Amino acid sequence: MLTAERTGENGIHLRGRFDASQVEYATSIFNQINQNCIVDMAELEYISSAGLGVLLMTQKRLSHSGAKLKLINANPHIKDVFRYAGFDKLFEMG
């Protein structure tokens, strides 16, 4: 299960497993973002291609207005998933 908690105007804290069963829920949260956003992944255990798709869709939508997502605190496994998919070049990761 995934929990996506808004942290102020510019943040989202992800906790749990971000897989296909959570796409509708996550999309509803990420669709509320209209400016630069910091996504804290400190408690994210797993992300599937479906989760990557939600992040990519959001990044593309934001880029039209010059905004972007910044992903922080990803564990080594999550960083590997981004690197293997080539997404480490699409997202600012800190």
Side-chain angles (χ1 to χ4, degrees), residues 47-65:
I47 189 165
S48 71
S49 59
L52 291 173
V54 171
L55 295 176
L56 181 60
M57 176 187 67
T58 303
Q59 182 81 327
K60 284 184 174 182
R61 180 176 55 80
L62 291 176
S63 70
H64 294 305
S65 63

Side-chain angles (χ1 to χ4, degrees), residues 64-77:
H64 294 305
S65 63
K68 62 183 177 182
L69 296 177
K70 179 178 181 180
L71 312 177
I72 63 169
N73 299 325
N75 68 40
H77 171 71

Side-chain angles (χ1 to χ4, degrees), residues 23-38:
V23 166
E24 187 176 328
Y25 165 70
T27 299
S28 71
I29 301 296
F30 280 95
N31 280 345
Q32 297 173 28
I33 301 300
N34 294 311
Q35 57 190 351
N36 288 334
C37 179
I38 297 173

